[in-house]
Amino acid sequence: MAVDVRNPGPEYLAFWRESHICTLTTPRPDGTPHVVPVCVTYDPEAGLARIITNRNSRKVAHILAAGPDGARVAACQVHRRRWATLEGVARVRTEQDRVDEAVRRHTERYERTPSPNPDRVVIEISLNRALGRG
């Protein structure tokens, strides 16, 4: 079912606030999908999903290889019969204030502070589609 990205409804938003491991699907340079487990935070007010990661990861390389316009990606989470997918354009951000905000949101959702990482970046997904079933 389609969901309004900026006004998802209370059940959809509550699901994204629960502590679930998600997947991120990025396109490899040859167009095939690369799917990896990640932690995702969802910010409907900003229309963004955020993922903290290491700047040397394959997912970062795939997004950067897509060029300055970013890469089309999908983040998904599943728990029993519930599922939710966020789709949009991902860009890698290195600005410290953006990384700090992503770490803050990650800490809030997953109830743990990530270990310090000088190579940390944030993947920001500008959302244009949300799907799910609660």
Side-chain angles (χ1 to χ4, degrees):
M1 280 188 177
V3 174
D4 184 339
V5 168
R6 293 202 175 244
N7 187 20
E11 288 180 15
Y12 192 83
L13 189 56
F15 186 39
W16 276 103
R17 289 187 173 148
E18 294 171 11
S19 182
H20 297 292
I21 296 299
C22 305
T23 61
L24 176 67
T25 304
T26 58
R28 292 183 179 105
D30 68 2
T32 59
H34 174 74
V35 184
V36 294
V38 293
C39 295
V40 177
T41 61
Y42 173 35
D43 181 355
E45 294 82 19
L48 292 174
R50 296 177 179 92
I51 299 160
I52 58 174
T53 190
N54 190 298
R55 73 177 66 247
N56 300 312
S57 69
R58 293 304 317 150
K59 57 191 163 288
V60 166
H62 295 154
I63 293 166
L64 293 175
D69 291 335
R72 297 269 323 141
V73 303
C76 183
Q77 67 179 16
V78 177
H79 183 257
R80 299 186 184 186
R81 293 182 160 206
R82 296 182 302 160
W83 63 272
T85 300
L86 299 171
E87 298 178 11
V89 176
R91 292 178 181 84
V92 177
R93 306 302 299 253
T94 59
E95 302 91 336
Q96 194 60 51
D97 61 327
R98 290 185 179 264
V99 173
D100 291 347
E101 178 63 10
V103 168
R104 183 189 71 75
R105 289 174 179 275
H106 174 100
T107 300
E108 183 178 289
R109 180 177 187 194
Y110 293 98
E111 298 179 344
R112 68 173 189 82
T113 303
S115 301
N117 179 354
D119 291 324
R120 180 170 290 133
V121 296
V122 60
I123 296 171
E124 286 187 350
I125 306 169
S126 298
L127 302 171
N128 55 29
R129 181 180 295 163
L131 304 165
R133 182 169 151 194

